[in-house]
């Protein structure tokens, strides 16, 4: 029963969505199914929050390695949630000057806004920026012309890297009229719109066929891996 | 020297990268751009729309990728404001609201004559990955009943008559992953023939090429695309030339140039060492 009901819900919803795409009369059924999906997706945030709490608390209580990080995660989660839910520091808007509760939770000056602006944004940007350092280090150690394929990849990378910079313009101006197609930016555009395009189309079609077959397996109940392990 | 390079401490590489990025930023070095055909198409699409056209601004990215995408997000908003298009902002990313709010703050500061609710509106975040797209293309109110402030769409002048996304003239999507450009193309622009242009990260660009130009009219790829777009915008609207914020992507091309040159130098150096090691029988 624990597996049959979810299987039936998944199959019914899946087939309704497929049918609604092809038969105009059933279009609204598909819209309703998507509305339910969106409501479930919103509820999933609560489940996600609960799961995060459970996992981190377990880690702290078992004193597993790195439990200090779990404590930081937990504290950040609880504080952010508190700031947002209780609209701490939110100033009233012009529309409701006497009631701060009517103002948006992330209004400028609020505690949550402060957290996002001065903690989350700089931290997220820093994590992304760190990639440049690690890519540089990895490029020095790992990007080797060990065989023909690797050499082709290397040359292509050079062309695209230079084609995305001002150097490409300098080289283009320096090249004679008849050799303009050999400028880095023109070659980059050619690589992206011919070789890359052909490869990506093949991959996209392959993925689409794979997704179609996997989806059918899920809808027909052949693939039940999404239900997780457990008793029948 | 060979021995030093063979076992080069990665902290030297980190230092070189820091200098390659910091010096052009501190020096304020800027370089001219030559817009690619894809970027020109995006610019012309927005430019050629009649003033007051409805533009859906789907900003599906978060602060992690703001370095690459936010300048183009701002440039799109600036361009639409200059053209007096009606902008409908929405995001499918929980942290995307911050990026949208940043654009709205810019509109308030740089275009004080534009009125919220008449010229632009913030419809906030909608959960459910691509789910909301599937709904709002046929019935907006089934997924979005109010703006981010809780004001009903029926009370907002620019949303009062908008039944669904099919009623807009253009979708602009700025995306750094899923849900993003691909989902808007698959569930909105292709089945309902809504003109769509996009801006995306460098990593995403190769994946989106197959959709150009039939399903996706044009695309800005990474900060380079943003810089080319800003170049076109400054060229068409000289009043922006005194605004340093309107040159943010152009400013970031300096660090990009030196970062790329350093990467190439490191790769070449790494390969020279590799071949020397091979010659000496060390690998």
């Amino acid at each position: 029963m624990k597996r049959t009901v979810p299987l039936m819900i998944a199959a019914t919803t899946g087939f309704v969505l497929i049918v609604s795409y092809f038969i105009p009369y059933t279009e609204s059924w598909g819209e309703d199914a998507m509305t339910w999906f969106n409501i479930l997706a919103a509820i999933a945030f609560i489940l996600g929050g609960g799961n995060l709490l459970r996992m981190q608390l377990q880690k702290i209580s078992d004193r597993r390695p790195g439990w200090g990080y779990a404590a930081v995660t937990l504290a950040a989660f609880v504080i952010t949630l508190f700031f947002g839910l209780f609209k701490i520091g939110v100033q009233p808007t012009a529309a409701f000057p006497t009631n701060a509760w009517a103002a948006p939770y992330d209004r400028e000056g609020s505690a949550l806004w402060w957290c996002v602006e001065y903690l989350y944004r700089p931290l997220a940007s820093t994590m992304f920026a760190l990639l440049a350092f690690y890519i540089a280090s990895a490029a020095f150690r790992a990007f080797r012309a060990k065989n023909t394929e690797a050499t082709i990849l290397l040359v292509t990378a050079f062309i695209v890297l230079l084609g995305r910079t001002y150097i490409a313009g300098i080289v283009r101006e320096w090249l004679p009229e008849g050799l303009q197609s050999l400028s880095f930016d023109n070659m980059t555009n050619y690589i992206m719109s011919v070789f890359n395009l052909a490869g990506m189309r093949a991959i996209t079609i392959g993925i689409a066929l794979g997704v179609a077959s996997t989806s059918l397996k899920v809808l027909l109940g052949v693939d039940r891996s999404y239900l997780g392990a457990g008793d029948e | 020297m060979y021995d030093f390079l063979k076992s080069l401490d990665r902290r030297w590489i980190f230092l070189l990268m820091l200098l390659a990025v910091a010096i052009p930023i501190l020096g304020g070095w800027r370089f001219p751009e030559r817009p690619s055909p894809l970027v020109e198409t995006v610019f012309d699409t927005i430019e050629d729309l009649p003033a007051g056209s409805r533009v859906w601004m789907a900003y599906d990215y978060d602060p992690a990728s703001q370095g690459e995408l936010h300048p183009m997000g701002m440039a799109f908003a600036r361009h639409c404001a200059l053209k007096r298009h009606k902008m409908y902002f929405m995001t499918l990313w929980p942290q995307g609201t911050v990026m949208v709010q940043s654009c709205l703050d810019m509109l308030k500061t740089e275009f004080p004559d534009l009125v919220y609710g008449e010229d632009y509106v913030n419809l906030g975040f909608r959960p459910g990955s691509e789910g909301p797209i599937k709904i709002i293309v046929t019935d907006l109110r089934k997924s979005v009943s109010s703006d981010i402030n809780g004001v009903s769409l029926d009370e907002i002048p620019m949303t009062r008559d908008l039944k669904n996304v099919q009623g807009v003239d253009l979708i602009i999507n700025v995306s750094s992953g899923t849900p993003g450009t691909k989902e808007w193309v698959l569930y909105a622009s292709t089945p309902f023939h809504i003109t769509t242009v996009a801006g995306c990260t460098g990593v995403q660009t190769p994946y989106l090429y197959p959709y150009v130009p039939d399903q996706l009219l044009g695309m800005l790829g990474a900060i380079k695309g943003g810089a080319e777009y800003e170049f076109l915008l400054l060229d068409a609207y000289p009043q922006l030339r005194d605004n340093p914020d309107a040159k943010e992507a152009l400013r970031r091309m300096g660090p990009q140039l030196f970062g790329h040159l350093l990467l190439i130098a490191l790769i070449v150096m790494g390969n020279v060492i590799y071949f020397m090691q091979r010659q000496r029988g060390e690998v």
Side-chain angles (χ1 to χ4, degrees), chain B residues 33-98:
Chain B
E33 291 293 330
R34 190 181 76 148
S36 65
L38 274 182
V39 176
E40 278 175 348
T41 307
V42 174
F43 184 84
D44 293 342
T45 305
I46 299 173
E47 186 66 18
D48 295 344
L49 281 176
S53 296
R54 288 169 159 177
V55 181
W56 193 267
M57 316 286 275
Y59 280 20
D60 302 324
Y61 63 103
D62 63 6
S65 45
Q66 69 173 354
E68 205 172 358
L69 297 178
H70 204 44
M72 65 173 83
M74 294 289 238
F76 280 138
R78 222 171 248 123
H79 194 182
C80 289
L82 286 162
K83 285 290 295 179
R84 291 293 183 264
H85 295 325
K86 308 284 180 198
M87 291 170 271
Y88 301 80
F89 289 91
M90 196 182 112
T91 179
L92 299 172
W93 286 46
Q95 299 90 344
T97 51
V98 188

Side-chain angles (χ1 to χ4, degrees), chain B:
Chain B
M1 188 65 175
Y2 166 75
D3 288 328
F4 171 72
L5 289 174
K6 200 175 71 174
S7 54
L8 185 68
D9 191 321
R10 64 180 181 169
R11 282 173 291 186
W12 286 110
I13 297 171
F14 293 168
L15 180 67
L16 285 173
M17 183 50 89
L18 175 71
L19 293 174
V21 172
I23 292 171
I25 291 177
L26 296 172
W29 299 346
R30 287 194 178 87
F31 305 100
E33 291 293 330
R34 190 181 76 148
S36 65
L38 274 182
V39 176
E40 278 175 348
T41 307
V42 174
F43 184 84
D44 293 342
T45 305
I46 299 173
E47 186 66 18
D48 295 344
L49 281 176
S53 296
R54 288 169 159 177
V55 181
W56 193 267
M57 316 286 275
Y59 280 20
D60 302 324
Y61 63 103
D62 63 6
S65 45
Q66 69 173 354
E68 205 172 358
L69 297 178
H70 204 44
M72 65 173 83
M74 294 289 238
F76 280 138
R78 222 171 248 123
H79 194 182
C80 289
L82 286 162
K83 285 290 295 179
R84 291 293 183 264
H85 295 325
K86 308 284 180 198
M87 291 170 271
Y88 301 80
F89 289 91
M90 196 182 112
T91 179
L92 299 172
W93 286 46
Q95 299 90 344
T97 51
V98 188
M99 310 321 300
V100 171
Q101 190 54 51
S102 176
C103 282
L104 262 60
D105 292 341
M106 180 276 293
L107 291 174
K108 268 185 216 164
T109 317
E110 294 184 22
F111 302 92
D113 52 324
L114 296 185
V115 181
Y116 181 84
E118 288 178 21
D119 299 298
Y120 60 96
V121 66
N122 183 2
L123 301 176
F125 159 69
R126 284 292 171 277
S129 196
E130 66 266 38
I133 305 175
K134 289 182 185 173
I135 297 176
I136 61 177
V137 285
T138 49
D139 190 346
L140 179 64
R141 279 159 182 78
K142 259 192 179 173
S143 179
V144 186
S145 57
S146 64
D147 75 347
I148 196 161
N149 301 316
V151 180
S152 165
L153 295 193
D154 296 324
E155 292 172 27
I156 301 171
M158 63 186 288
T159 53
R160 203 172 288 149
D161 303 324
L162 186 68
K163 286 182 182 163
N164 51 44
V165 179
Q166 292 175 61
V168 303
D169 302 293
L170 175 72
I171 295 173
I172 298 177
N173 177 248
V174 185
S175 122
S176 64
T178 307
T181 306
K182 191 178 168 187
E183 284 68 31
W184 280 100
V185 166
L186 292 180
Y187 302 117
S189 65
T190 306
F192 298 99
H193 310 289
I194 309 166
T195 310
T196 303
V197 294
C200 57
T201 56
V203 177
Q204 263 186 300
T205 310
Y207 297 96
L208 295 172
Y209 260 92
Y211 299 110
V212 178
D214 289 340
Q215 293 159 283
L216 188 63
L217 206 56
M219 173 173 64
L220 313 185
I223 195 68
K224 167 80 171 156
E228 290 173 6
Y229 194 85
E230 279 185 357
F231 182 80
L232 285 170
L233 201 58
L234 291 168
D235 194 43
Y237 297 94
Q239 66 266 38
L240 289 176
R241 287 180 192 163
D242 297 328
N243 181 357
D245 293 340
K247 302 171 192 167
E248 194 49 48
L250 286 165
R251 192 171 73 90
R252 293 176 194 196
M253 287 308 289
Q256 161 124 329
L257 168 63
F258 287 95
H260 281 196
L261 288 178
L262 176 65
L263 268 180
I264 290 171
L266 286 170
I267 293 169
V268 170
M269 206 160 71
N271 277 281
V272 168
I273 294 164
Y274 170 69
F275 284 112
M276 283 173 79
Q277 282 177 318
R278 255 199 357 191
Q279 262 184 348
R280 294 175 186 204
E282 292 175 16
V283 284

Side-chain angles (χ1 to χ4, degrees), chain A residues 31-99:
Chain A
E31 287 169 17
D32 287 339
M34 285 315 300
T35 308
W36 298 341
F37 172 78
N38 287 348
I39 294 166
L40 285 174
I43 293 169
F45 275 98
I46 301 169
L47 286 177
N51 193 41
L52 182 121
L53 267 177
R54 196 171 65 94
M55 300 294 286
Q56 304 305 320
L57 281 171
Q58 207 159 38
K59 216 181 232 181
I60 295 166
S61 115
D62 295 349
R63 288 286 193 278
R64 275 187 233 154
W67 67 270
Y69 297 114
V72 173
T73 308
L74 202 63
F77 175 71
V78 172
I79 292 169
T80 314
L81 193 68
F82 176 74
F83 284 169
L85 281 180
F86 295 97
K87 296 190 174 182
I88 305 296
V90 173
Q91 298 298 314
T93 56
F96 304 99
T98 54
N99 193 353

